[in-house]
Amino acid sequence: MTTSNRRIGYLDATRVLAMLLVITLHSPLPLTDSKSNLLGAVSYVSAPCIGLFFMTSGALLLSTSQDMTSFIRKRLGKVAWPTLFWSLFYLAEQFLREGTDIPNALQHLLSIPFSAQGNGVLWFMYALVGLYLITPILSAWLKTTTKRDVDFILLIWGVTLLYPLLSQFLSVNESKEGITYYMSGYAGYYLLGYQLHQHPIKWKISHLSFFLLFPIAVVAVIKSFSFDVDFYNLFWYLSIFVVSMAIFWFSFLQRTIQRPVAKWMEQISNYSFGIYLVHIFVMRRVVWEWEFISQYGSLFQIASTVTLTFLLSTLVVHLISYLPFSKYIIGYKR
C-alpha cells in the first residue's frame, strides 16, 4: 500500500481491519440461529468491511492520475487475474463436490467475464474491477475540481443511502430511470475514501464516535421495541448506517496511526486480496470441519473460526507469495 513508494500506515491498518471484519461476517456456522441477537450483532458491526476496502482503494488510486491504457496495464491485472484464477478454482471445487453436466459447466465458464462464478464472495472483486475501469475518468476529474464539488456528489450519494428509509413512507424510484441512479452504488465509497484521505475530518475522537454509536443505537432501539423492519434492506452495505460506521473506522485509524505500521501488518495488507479470495475455502472446507468449533456455544465458535481462518489463510497466501507467478493468484509478488 504505497503512494510514490511511501507506505501510508493508516491505510494498511484499514485494510487489515477490513479483512478481519470480512472473516468475522462470514464466520457463523450455518446451523447458528439466524434470529439470535449475537449473530445479528456480529453481522451488523462487521458490515463496514466492504466499504472500508473500497474506501482504501479510492484513497490510493484516485490520488494519482494515469491515462486509461497505463492504468489498465499497471493496475487492472492485479485484480482481474486473481479473480479469474479463483473463479476457476471455486468452479472446479464445486464441480468435484456436486458434479455437473457439460452444458452447465460451459455456461458457468462463459459467464466469468460478466458475473461472479464458483463462490458468492467473488462479487466484491467484480465490483472492484468496475471501479478500476472508471478510475482514470474520476482521477482526471478530481485534478480539476474542487472539494465543494466532490462534497456535492457525495451528498447526492448520501441521499441514495437514505432510500431504504424513505421507501418506508414515500414512492422512491431506485431503478435505472431514477434521478439518482448514476450517483448510487459502491463508487460512492470509492470517492468517499479519496475525499477523507485528502480532507480528513478534524473532530475529536470522542466526537467521531458518533458515527459508530448512532448506527448501533438505532438498531438497539428497533430491537428493544420489536419494530417490524427488513434489516437486510435498512442496515446493509449501502445504508446510511453502515456507511456511518465505515467513516468512523476510516477516520479513527487516520487520526491514531500517524506513521507506517509494523512490518507484519504491512505484509498482511499486501496479502489482503489473497486472504479475501482464499478465506472462504479455508473456513468452510477446513475450519468448519473441526468438531470442537461447534461444541462451546456461538461466541466461542465465531471467535475460534475468525482466529483460525485468518491465521491459516494468511499462511496459505504467504506460501503462495513465494511462487514466481503469485501476482496472478493473489495480486502480490515478492
Side-chain angles (χ1 to χ4, degrees):
M1 185 155 307
T2 61
T3 297
S4 302
N5 297 319
R6 180 175 60 86
R7 303 297 296 199
I8 303 175
Y10 88 88
L11 292 179
D12 280 322
T14 302
R15 274 232 172 125
V16 174
L17 173 63
M19 190 66 263
L20 288 170
L21 291 177
V22 164
I23 295 173
T24 303
L25 182 66
H26 294 151
S27 64
L29 282 162
L31 296 178
T32 305
D33 181 5
S34 61
K35 295 183 179 179
S36 74
N37 290 330
L38 174 62
L39 180 59
V42 167
S43 298
Y44 186 47
V45 299
S46 302
C49 57
I50 294 300
L52 290 173
F53 271 129
F54 287 136
M55 290 169 73
T56 303
S57 295
L60 287 167
L61 299 180
L62 293 177
S63 299
T64 61
S65 181
Q66 298 183 51
D67 62 83
M68 182 71 77
T69 302
S70 298
F71 185 83
I72 289 176
R73 185 175 66 249
K74 293 179 181 179
R75 294 285 186 174
L76 192 62
K78 181 181 179 181
V79 179
W81 287 115
T83 302
L84 175 61
F85 176 89
W86 289 99
S87 295
L88 295 174
F89 173 87
Y90 283 117
L91 279 175
E93 190 255 344
Q94 179 182 332
F95 294 161
L96 288 173
R97 281 190 300 107
E98 302 175 5
T100 189
D101 52 41
I102 292 178
N104 187 49
L106 186 61
Q107 181 188 39
H108 282 290
L109 290 171
L110 293 177
S111 297
I112 287 176
F114 309 106
S115 64
Q117 301 296 313
N119 196 289
V121 298
L122 294 177
W123 76 265
F124 165 76
M125 303 301 290
Y126 281 75
L128 191 59
V129 168
L131 292 175
Y132 272 41
L133 289 173
I134 65 170
T135 295
I137 300 170
L138 287 176
S139 60
W141 170 66
L142 289 169
K143 283 186 66 176
T144 61
T145 196
T146 65
K147 177 182 181 298
R148 188 174 181 178
D149 290 341
V150 178
D151 286 340
F152 177 69
I153 298 301
L154 288 173
L155 177 62
I156 298 176
W157 179 60
V159 171
T160 71
L161 301 175
L162 293 171
Y163 279 2
L165 285 171
L166 295 176
S167 61
Q168 305 295 309
F169 315 101
L170 306 173
S171 176
V172 178
N173 185 354
E174 299 183 55
S175 72
K176 295 180 178 65
E177 291 77 32
I179 192 171
T180 57
Y181 176 79
Y182 296 102
M183 298 292 188
S184 62
Y186 294 107
Y189 275 118
Y190 204 52
L191 189 59
L192 178 63
Y194 164 85
Q195 189 74 329
L196 290 178
H197 180 57
Q198 298 295 327
H199 307 283
I201 297 174
K202 297 181 179 180
W203 296 359
K204 294 179 180 179
I205 291 178
S206 58
H207 295 165
L208 271 177
S209 63
F210 169 82
F211 287 107
L212 179 67
L213 298 179
F214 177 70
I216 293 174
V218 169
V219 171
V221 169
I222 289 175
K223 281 288 188 180
S224 298
F225 289 91
S226 301
F227 290 127
D228 184 18
V229 299
D230 183 343
F231 269 84
Y232 185 82
N233 187 38
L234 288 177
F235 301 101
W236 211 231
Y237 297 144
L238 288 172
S239 77
I240 193 68
F241 304 108
V242 172
V243 171
S244 180
M245 290 191 287
I247 290 173
F248 168 78
W249 287 118
F250 190 93
S251 299
F252 174 78
L253 293 173
Q254 188 179 38
R255 288 288 302 277
T256 55
I257 299 179
Q258 302 296 325
R259 52 178 59 91
V261 293
K263 285 293 182 181
W264 65 267
M265 187 176 290
E266 178 183 308
Q267 198 60 57
I268 292 174
S269 176
N270 289 334
Y271 290 165
S272 59
F273 275 144
I275 295 173
Y276 181 89
L277 290 164
V278 76
H279 85 276
I280 205 71
F281 178 81
V282 170
M283 180 185 293
R284 294 180 178 177
R285 305 295 168 225
V286 180
V287 176
W288 279 0
E289 295 299 319
W290 295 339
E291 291 186 7
F292 80 91
I293 292 292
S294 60
Q295 291 180 352
Y296 300 99
S298 297
L299 187 59
F300 175 82
Q301 180 268 307
I302 292 171
S304 57
T305 296
V306 171
T307 302
L308 291 170
T309 299
F310 179 72
L311 292 176
L312 290 174
S313 298
T314 302
L315 176 61
V316 170
V317 173
H318 177 70
L319 295 174
I320 291 174
S321 72
Y322 285 98
L323 298 176
F325 44 84
S326 65
K327 68 178 181 180
Y328 298 109
I329 303 175
I330 58 172
Y332 173 75
K333 181 180 179 181
R334 287 186 171 276

